[in-house]
Amino acid sequence: QQTRTYRQLRDNGQRLAAWLKSRGMEKGDTFAVVMQNHGEFVDLMVASSILGTVFVPIDPRSRGEKLRYMLDFAGCKGVFVADYALAEVEAALGGDDGRWLVSLGDNASRHPSIEAIIADDLPLPPLEVASDDADAPMQMLFTSGTTGDPKGIVASHRRFAESATIGPILGLTVEDRPYTGLSLTHANAQVVTLGMILSMGMRGVISRKFTRSRL
């Protein structure tokens, strides 16, 4: 079980943004996030928004040519990947092709660790927000690809922010506790549930992954 306060999201986002910048990532560059609903997923959303980069959420069950296609199509310069999906990402990339990998979890020590970046006790870097255009791309979401290759859908910061304001329309208040077990790699959980939580300052509950037995 993980928790995130708003301060932790800000601090973790700053540290990850500084790391991305140190790797030469600039406004408009893309990177992939291949993991279930970990707290670090949201940290990376914040980091990307600070830096003005574009994150590409990919279902960690993706593999083979489909995974390679998404990474190539989006032009990802690197991948943040949970240890349980690392072997598939490495296989899809086919060795050292110049892209960096950052791991999440205990079983991937040969790559830099997201946890280590976040746990760095050095003073926080200055908060320099490069993202200043609401209509600039925030992320590229992929469809399921049931009729061919997955389709990349570019979504802006404005789309996320406006969709996140539907809470009051649904009758929600700050006392409510939204829950989702859907994947943050798709818009329902990410833009609606997480967005409403962040927009309204609510507490929320997001399962790592959906299981009927735990619902």
Side-chain angles (χ1 to χ4, degrees):
Q1 178 176 323
Q2 292 179 294
T3 60
R4 282 291 188 278
T5 65
Y6 289 94
R7 179 178 292 276
Q8 286 172 321
L9 287 176
R10 185 196 67 180
D11 292 353
N12 294 350
Q14 282 182 255
R15 295 192 190 284
L16 287 163
W19 187 91
L20 285 164
K21 188 174 182 178
S22 76
R23 296 306 299 257
M25 295 291 288
E26 299 177 348
K27 185 184 295 187
D29 289 341
T30 59
F31 65 86
V33 180
V34 186
M35 64 183 67
Q36 295 169 353
N37 296 346
H38 297 268
E40 289 81 3
F41 192 118
V42 188
D43 295 333
L44 287 165
M45 291 176 62
V46 175
S48 187
S49 291
I50 290 173
L51 198 57
T53 51
V54 181
F55 67 96
V56 183
I58 296 178
D59 190 316
R61 296 170 296 179
S62 302
R63 60 192 67 236
E65 289 301 316
K66 178 180 178 181
L67 175 57
R68 175 77 190 208
Y69 171 82
M70 289 188 283
L71 293 171
D72 287 347
F73 181 84
C76 295
K77 294 191 172 182
V79 184
F80 290 92
V81 54
D83 54 5
Y84 46 80
L86 178 61
E88 295 295 341
V89 170
E90 289 178 327
L93 293 179
D96 184 9
D97 69 348
R99 287 185 256 210
W100 46 262
L101 294 179
V102 181
S103 69
L104 173 69
D106 300 327
N107 301 318
S109 58
R110 62 186 176 277
H111 297 292
S113 161
I114 300 177
E115 294 96 331
I117 296 171
I118 290 173
D120 190 340
D121 59 1
L122 293 174
L124 281 170
L127 182 57
E128 299 175 357
V129 180
S131 184
D132 56 3
D133 179 3
D135 293 311
M138 173 181 171
Q139 62 179 315
M140 180 183 290
L141 291 160
F142 277 98
T143 64
S144 59
T146 53
T147 57
D149 289 325
K151 309 300 190 295
I153 301 170
V154 177
S156 68
H157 294 272
R158 186 185 303 278
R159 179 190 176 195
F160 183 93
E162 291 181 349
S163 299
T165 62
I166 67 172
I169 297 173
L170 299 177
L172 296 178
T173 73
V174 292
E175 301 302 320
D176 288 312
R177 300 289 178 264
Y179 164 79
T180 188
L182 300 176
S183 173
L184 289 172
T185 61
H186 294 291
N188 189 308
Q190 188 204 113
V191 180
V192 180
T193 308
L194 175 64
M196 289 192 305
I197 291 168
L198 297 176
S199 176
M200 296 182 65
M202 297 184 287
R203 295 179 183 178
V205 179
I206 300 175
S207 293
R208 180 74 51 83
K209 62 179 181 179
F210 177 78
T211 60
R212 288 184 297 174
S213 61
R214 294 187 62 215
L215 181 58

